[in-house]
Amino acid sequence: MLEPSQSDLTAMEVATMRGLAEQAVLAQQGETTLDVETLSARLRDVAQRGGPPELGAVLWELLSSGTLTTVRDRKGRSCRMLAVKALLKLDGPEARRLTPEDLTFGRTPTLAPPRWVLVISAALTTLGGLGTVVVSLVGHTMMSLAFHGSPIPPFSQFVAALTGGLTAWRALKLVIAPEARPSDLRALLLLAAAGGLLVTLEIPARMNGGPNGLLSPLLAALPAALTAVFFRASGIPFRGNT
């Protein structure tokens, strides 16, 4: 039996990596499931021992697609980080096209919050957002009726309920599919800041006997901020093409 030539081995290696890259793109579109462990193993192998120069174009296309931003194997290793290291190991022209963001991501520690931590944190944020809506509107109305006040919540409570509803919606997306994008991270931080600002603005009114539910925005703001921190620690950048 004839042994495969070096050119055949190179072609097989490139074809395997290209197949995994195409699978990653299709997985992001929801058309298939990515074999993360195989991809991670291939990337680690190239990052350690190098490979044919032809792999550089495949890895560059894979990184440019933005499909690896949140992909991690069972041990928490970032496939994006491994792809950056593999491309640097090849030291081809594609390696010199890496963006500062890619290079920074390549230096990101492999330790990150487990996937279940991100899901639980997003779930708590969803519940907190719904809690803000309930306390701001229903809670205020019930308290007002009990003390013979106006059953219609003030405008600030409607704003708090809107902020809570938006927070719950953004967080619920991450519960269903915890593959955050930079836009999700920015949205959570913005909503957390909005909740904190609402509480601050209502302090003078509350001191003068203002509306109930003053602290209700914090039910959404605090877990939203924590979830944003967790996703940032998992490698999600504040800016990016994903």
Side-chain angles (χ1 to χ4, degrees), residues 19-103:
L20 289 169
E22 293 174 353
Q23 187 183 70
V25 174
L26 292 175
Q28 188 186 50
Q29 299 171 353
E31 298 181 15
T32 188
T33 301
L34 175 61
D35 187 350
V36 178
E37 299 307 312
T38 299
L39 176 61
S40 174
R42 298 296 300 173
L43 291 174
R44 281 184 282 120
D45 184 55
V46 177
Q48 291 171 4
R49 67 171 182 84
E54 292 84 352
L55 283 176
V58 181
L59 292 174
W60 170 250
E61 293 173 5
L62 183 58
L63 284 169
S64 300
S65 69
T67 59
L68 299 183
T69 302
T70 59
V71 178
R72 293 179 178 272
D73 62 19
R74 284 196 296 264
K75 294 186 177 180
R77 289 179 292 239
S78 166
C79 287
R80 182 182 178 187
M81 181 193 67
L82 293 174
V84 171
K85 290 186 174 181
L87 199 54
L88 291 173
K89 180 68 174 180
L90 294 175
D91 196 26
E94 294 83 4
R96 289 179 279 280
R97 296 171 61 187
L98 288 170
T99 65
E101 178 187 317
D102 284 326
L103 294 173

Side-chain angles (χ1 to χ4, degrees), residues 136-239:
S136 299
L137 299 181
V138 180
H140 175 84
T141 300
M142 294 180 63
M143 290 291 294
S144 297
L145 291 175
F147 292 95
H148 306 288
S150 173
I152 301 177
F155 178 73
S156 61
Q157 298 299 90
F158 281 107
V159 175
L162 177 61
T163 302
L166 290 174
T167 303
W169 170 65
R170 295 299 302 219
L172 183 60
K173 289 173 57 181
L174 299 176
V175 175
I176 298 173
E179 302 294 339
R181 301 170 181 266
S183 58
D184 295 314
L185 181 63
R186 294 194 298 269
L188 286 176
L189 289 174
L190 180 61
L191 290 167
L197 180 62
L198 287 173
V199 171
T200 303
L201 293 177
E202 284 298 314
I203 289 178
R206 181 58 179 165
M207 292 177 66
N208 294 323
N212 296 306
L214 169 67
L215 299 179
S216 63
L218 293 183
L219 294 174
L222 292 179
L226 185 61
T227 300
V229 169
F230 282 152
F231 275 103
R232 181 67 186 91
S234 72
I236 305 300
F238 288 108
R239 298 181 182 277

